[in-house]
Amino acid sequence: MLHMTKEKIHIENLEVSIGKEHILKNINCTIPEKKITVILGPSGCGKTTLLKSMNRLTDLYSDVKINGKIELNGKNIYNGISDINDLRRKMGLLSQRPAPLPMNIFNNVAYGLKISGRRKKRYLRLRVEHYLKQANLWDEVKDRLYSPANSLSIGQQQRLCLARGLAVDPELILADEPTSSLDPISSQAIENRLMELKNHYTIIVVTHALRQARRIADYIIFLYLGEIIEQCEASEFFNNPKNEITKAYLRGSFN
Amino acid sequence: MIVTLSLVILTPIVMCICLSVKSSLLFESLPVGKIFFTSAWEPSKGNFGFLPFILSSIFITFLAVLIAGPVCLFSALYLTQYARVRLVRIMQPVIDILAGIPSVVYGVWGIIVIVPFVSNVVAPLFHIQTTGYTLIAGGIVLAVMITPFILNILIEILRTIPSELSEATLSLGATKWEVIKHVIVRKAKPGIVSAFGLGVSRAFGETIAVLMVAGNVAKIPGGLFDPVYPLPALIANNYGEMMSIPLYDSALMMAALILFVSILVFNFFSRISIYHLERNL
Ligand SMILES: Nc1ncnc2c1ncn2[C@@H]1O[C@H](COP(=O)(O)OP(=O)(O)OP(=O)(O)O)[C@@H](O)[C@H]1O
Ligand SMILES: [Mg+2]
């Protein structure tokens, strides 16, 4: 199955250190297009760092050193791209805790469009409605589009963040434990959305919830202490793990 | 604990009552309009018009915050958003030291640097002759004094803004400057307002340094290059002297009461505006 799909991101010999700490070691992996790739691993193994190095949010860390190559659509993002903002716009980000912008609901979704110069009221209204529907939030907020975004529940806020990310028409969605601060029903809503969205987007989800990985993953990258231990189809990973550490992890011997 | 707490709460109440009682004598002898809205300050003739002092206080405070506010905001933004960690680590103690310099030292510095600067450099630009002991000199010295104070609060506030928020905004394709302008400043707005508000309270009550450079002439200031005579300076300059003049003592108490009540009212309104800002985030 995997060999039939195009590769969206290709990472070669990626090394990331922060200060004296060597966080990611010799990472080589491939993210298939229009699939859900789950990055799995125990806490502190470098999942978030790997995710953020893909849209160069790691640049914001102080004292960070990055070596190696990350290619998006065949172009190295650390060498030879001129517009980092444009790179980041291609990757919608969902963080662990929803971080709505300090604006009303409408403007949260419209913001990305506005800063890229699209300001026509009618156009914005149509787009905002479209993306709120995609994030399955429209019905709940259509009567209060102009109230502050943080008046929404956490689960609604996370869906708003999804809509906001989709509104700038990204190619990828990077989701860092997008459901860990949500209740089961909201989590389910986000998971369902991601499953539907993978027909149009390449999705990367970081999680340490094995059950969630089982439910949504097409492809798994298993990280342990900054190294990739195993990467393969999800079915292969769960049914026929090769590595001893993977087996122990799947047995729940550590979390 | 309850005793100490009630002491903390009671002190301002007791203070307010004392000041009211002491200044009531003035209220009894002069009409309110005459106290607050006339500018004749002739204690020996029994005229106590507070308008020049009130306006002086307002102008000098406003000027100081007008100068210090933007400077502090941009410095705090630079230190928290752009500067390397090392610079922040160096700046923090520097700011604390500036905040700890006694007021009288700022006053002396004002006299030997700012006053001549105003008199010899700034005023001639506008073809004005002055000794330099003016509203603008007082405003500058006061601005410098409240800067470390406001700056510290702003840095504290900007630090509390979660990095996820900037990361999320950057991921929408925003530039760093757009993140700061549209998100960080907006998110921090209640905090910024309260920092400026505390700056105002500070500036409004500041005494010694202002008294040393502001000129202390009891006349309504007509411009930046006129001397001013703020309320705290009035009290500090005159208390204990000329107490033989009838009502003088009561008038100074009145000055203190005006100061006290203004700061109270001001704090009240800034709290309300902070509350509203926070709700609308
Ligand atoms: N900004 C930073 N500065 C210094 N060290 C950092 C920074 N961010 C992460 N680290 C370190 O890098 C390592 C990996 O962190 P990372 O956040 O990528 O792990 P994670 O797998 O996402 O963990 P979790 O599941 O807890 O989110 C940790 O040891 C962490 O202490
Ligand atoms: Mg993480």
Side-chain angles (χ1 to χ4, degrees), chain A residues 18 21 23 41-50 61 96 177 208:
Chain A
I18 303 176
E21 249 187 295
I23 312 276
S43 188
C45 66
K47 304 184 293 295
T48 300
T49 309
L50 178 56
Y61 294 179
Q96 195 161 348
E177 305 189 34
H208 46 212

Side-chain angles (χ1 to χ4, degrees), chain B residues 166-238:
Chain B
S166 331
E167 290 176 358
T169 318
L170 287 171
S171 304
L172 299 173
T175 61
K176 181 120 194 179
W177 176 238
E178 283 168 333
V179 173
I180 291 173
K181 200 167 50 158
H182 299 145
V183 175
I184 294 186
V185 168
R186 204 186 285 219
K187 181 85 182 168
K189 215 188 219 165
I192 294 171
V193 169
S194 72
F196 287 1
L198 288 168
V200 168
S201 306
R202 195 92 206 257
F204 201 70
E206 173 50 40
T207 312
I208 299 296
V210 173
L211 175 157
M212 292 165 76
V213 299
N216 304 332
V217 175
K219 224 183 85 195
I220 293 177
L224 287 176
F225 297 100
D226 278 353
V228 288
Y229 204 166
L231 288 162
L234 170 71
I235 303 170
N237 262 345
N238 297 300

Side-chain angles (χ1 to χ4, degrees), chain B residues 22-23 25-27 29-30 41-48 50 241-253:
Chain B
K22 290 256 190 176
S23 53
L25 207 61
L26 193 66
F27 272 129
S29 351
L30 283 174
W41 184 259
E42 297 149 330
S44 49
K45 292 187 200 154
N47 286 332
F48 296 96
F50 277 95
E241 293 168 26
M242 301 199 285
M243 283 309 181
S244 52
I245 299 171
L247 289 179
Y248 204 93
D249 163 49
S250 180
L252 292 184
M253 289 300 161

